[in-house]
Coordinates of all heavy atoms in Angstrom, one line a residue:
V30 N -10.4 -9.6 3.5 CA -10.8 -8.7 2.5 C -10.8 -7.3 2.9 O -11.3 -7.1 4.1 CB -12.2 -9.1 1.9 CG1 -12.8 -8.0 0.9 CG2 -12.3 -10.5 1.3
T31 N -10.3 -6.4 2.2 CA -10.4 -5.0 2.6 C -10.9 -4.2 1.4 O -10.6 -4.5 0.2 CB -8.8 -4.3 2.7 OG1 -8.3 -5.1 3.7 CG2 -8.9 -2.9 3.0
V32 N -11.9 -3.3 1.6 CA -12.5 -2.6 0.5 C -11.9 -1.1 0.5 O -12.0 -0.5 1.5 CB -14.0 -2.5 0.8 CG1 -14.8 -1.6 -0.1 CG2 -14.7 -3.9 0.9
V33 N -11.4 -0.7 -0.6 CA -10.8 0.5 -0.7 C -11.4 1.3 -1.9 O -11.3 0.8 -3.0 CB -9.3 0.4 -0.9 CG1 -8.5 1.6 -1.1 CG2 -8.6 -0.4 0.2
P34 N -11.9 2.5 -1.7 CA -12.4 3.3 -2.9 C -11.3 3.5 -3.8 O -10.2 3.8 -3.4 CB -12.9 4.6 -2.3 CG -13.1 4.3 -0.8 CD -12.1 3.2 -0.5
A35 N -11.4 3.5 -5.2 CA -10.4 3.9 -6.1 C -9.7 5.1 -5.9 O -8.5 5.3 -6.4 CB -11.0 3.7 -7.5
H36 N -10.4 6.1 -5.4 CA -10.0 7.4 -5.2 C -9.2 7.6 -3.9 O -8.5 8.7 -3.7 CB -11.0 8.5 -5.3 CG -12.0 8.5 -4.2 ND1 -13.0 7.6 -4.2 CD2 -12.0 9.1 -3.0 CE1 -13.6 7.7 -3.1 NE2 -13.0 8.7 -2.3
A37 N -9.2 6.6 -3.0 CA -8.5 6.7 -1.9 C -6.9 6.8 -2.0 O -6.4 6.3 -2.8 CB -8.8 5.5 -0.9
E38 N -6.4 7.6 -1.2 CA -4.9 7.7 -1.2 C -4.3 6.9 -0.1 O -4.8 7.0 1.1 CB -4.5 9.2 -1.0 CG -4.8 10.0 -2.3 CD -4.1 11.4 -2.2 OE1 -4.1 12.1 -1.1 OE2 -3.6 11.9 -3.3
L39 N -3.3 6.2 -0.4 CA -2.6 5.3 0.5 C -1.2 5.7 0.9 O -0.6 6.4 0.2 CB -2.6 3.9 0.0 CG -3.8 3.3 -0.7 CD1 -3.6 2.0 -1.5 CD2 -4.8 3.1 0.5
T40 N -0.8 5.4 2.1 CA 0.6 5.5 2.5 C 1.4 4.4 1.9 O 0.9 3.4 1.4 CB 0.7 5.6 4.0 OG1 0.3 4.2 4.4 CG2 -0.2 6.6 4.7
T41 N 2.7 4.6 1.9 CA 3.5 3.6 1.4 C 3.4 2.3 2.2 O 3.5 1.2 1.7 CB 5.0 4.0 1.3 OG1 5.5 4.6 2.7 CG2 5.2 5.1 0.3
Q42 N 3.2 2.5 3.6 CA 3.0 1.3 4.3 C 1.6 0.5 4.1 O 1.6 -0.7 3.9 CB 2.9 1.6 5.9 CG 2.8 0.5 6.8 CD 4.0 -0.4 6.8 OE1 5.1 -0.1 6.7 NE2 3.7 -1.7 6.6
Q43 N 0.6 1.3 3.8 CA -0.7 0.6 3.4 C -0.5 -0.1 2.0 O -1.0 -1.2 1.8 CB -1.8 1.7 3.3 CG -2.3 2.2 4.7 CD -3.2 3.5 4.5 OE1 -3.0 4.2 3.7 NE2 -4.1 3.5 5.4
A44 N 0.2 0.6 1.1 CA 0.5 0.0 -0.2 C 1.2 -1.3 -0.1 O 1.0 -2.3 -0.7 CB 1.1 1.0 -1.2
A45 N 2.3 -1.3 0.8 CA 3.1 -2.4 1.0 C 2.2 -3.6 1.6 O 2.4 -4.6 1.2 CB 4.2 -2.1 2.0
Q46 N 1.3 -3.3 2.6 CA 0.5 -4.3 3.1 C -0.5 -4.9 2.0 O -0.7 -6.2 1.9 CB -0.3 -3.8 4.2 CG 0.6 -3.5 5.4 CD -0.2 -2.7 6.6 OE1 -1.2 -2.0 6.3 NE2 0.3 -2.9 7.8
M47 N -1.1 -4.1 1.2 CA -1.9 -4.6 0.1 C -1.2 -5.4 -1.0 O -1.7 -6.3 -1.4 CB -2.6 -3.4 -0.6 CG -3.7 -2.7 0.1 SD -4.6 -1.4 -0.7 CE -5.4 -2.4 -1.9
L48 N 0.1 -5.1 -1.3 CA 0.9 -5.8 -2.2 C 1.6 -7.1 -1.6 O 2.1 -7.9 -2.2 CB 1.9 -5.0 -2.8 CG 1.3 -3.9 -3.8 CD1 2.6 -3.0 -4.3 CD2 0.6 -4.5 -5.0
N49 N 1.6 -7.1 -0.2 CA 2.3 -8.1 0.6 C 3.8 -8.1 0.3 O 4.4 -9.2 0.0 CB 1.7 -9.5 0.2 CG 2.0 -10.5 1.3 OD1 2.2 -10.1 2.5 ND2 2.1 -11.8 1.0
V50 N 4.2 -6.8 0.3 CA 5.7 -6.6 0.1 C 6.2 -5.6 1.3 O 5.4 -5.1 1.9 CB 6.1 -6.1 -1.3 CG1 5.7 -7.1 -2.3 CG2 5.5 -4.7 -1.5
S51 N 7.4 -5.4 1.3 CA 8.0 -4.4 2.3 C 7.8 -3.0 1.8 O 7.7 -2.7 0.6 CB 9.6 -4.7 2.4 OG 10.3 -4.3 1.3
R52 N 7.8 -2.1 2.8 CA 7.7 -0.7 2.5 C 8.8 -0.2 1.6 O 8.7 0.5 0.6 CB 7.6 0.1 3.8 CG 7.3 1.5 3.6 CD 7.0 2.2 4.9 NE 7.3 3.7 4.8 CZ 8.6 4.1 4.8 NH1 9.6 3.5 5.0 NH2 8.7 5.5 4.7
P53 N 10.1 -0.7 2.0 CA 11.2 -0.2 1.0 C 11.0 -0.7 -0.4 O 11.4 0.0 -1.3 CB 12.5 -0.7 1.6 CG 12.1 -0.9 3.2 CD 10.6 -1.3 3.1
H54 N 10.5 -1.8 -0.6 CA 10.2 -2.3 -1.9 C 9.2 -1.4 -2.7 O 9.4 -1.0 -3.9 CB 9.7 -3.8 -2.1 CG 9.5 -4.3 -3.3 ND1 10.6 -4.7 -4.2 CD2 8.5 -4.7 -4.0 CE1 10.1 -5.1 -5.2 NE2 8.8 -5.0 -5.1
V55 N 8.2 -0.9 -1.9 CA 7.1 -0.1 -2.6 C 7.8 1.2 -2.9 O 7.6 1.8 -4.0 CB 6.0 0.2 -1.7 CG1 5.1 1.4 -2.1 CG2 5.1 -1.1 -1.5
I56 N 8.7 1.7 -2.0 CA 9.4 3.0 -2.3 C 10.3 3.0 -3.6 O 10.3 3.8 -4.4 CB 10.1 3.5 -1.0 CG1 9.3 3.9 0.0 CG2 11.0 4.6 -1.5 CD1 9.8 4.2 1.3
K57 N 10.9 1.7 -3.7 CA 11.7 1.5 -4.9 C 10.9 1.4 -6.1 O 11.2 2.0 -7.2 CB 12.4 0.1 -4.7 CG 13.2 -0.4 -5.9 CD 13.9 -1.6 -5.6 CE 14.5 -2.2 -7.0 NZ 14.2 -3.6 -7.1

């Protein structure tokens, strides 16, 4: 489990990890 405040800004790498997808997919 990871707790992230709704106002936090994420990098594309962090977003990819949260979605369990690749960074290029997030960029797409």
Side-chain angles (χ1 to χ4, degrees):
V30 177
T31 301
V32 177
V33 180
H36 67 276
E38 288 191 322
L39 308 170
T40 65
T41 53
Q42 184 60 47
Q43 290 169 323
Q46 289 170 336
M47 285 184 69
L48 293 176
N49 199 26
V50 298
S51 69
R52 186 177 156 279
H54 183 70
V55 168
I56 292 170
K57 178 180 166 222

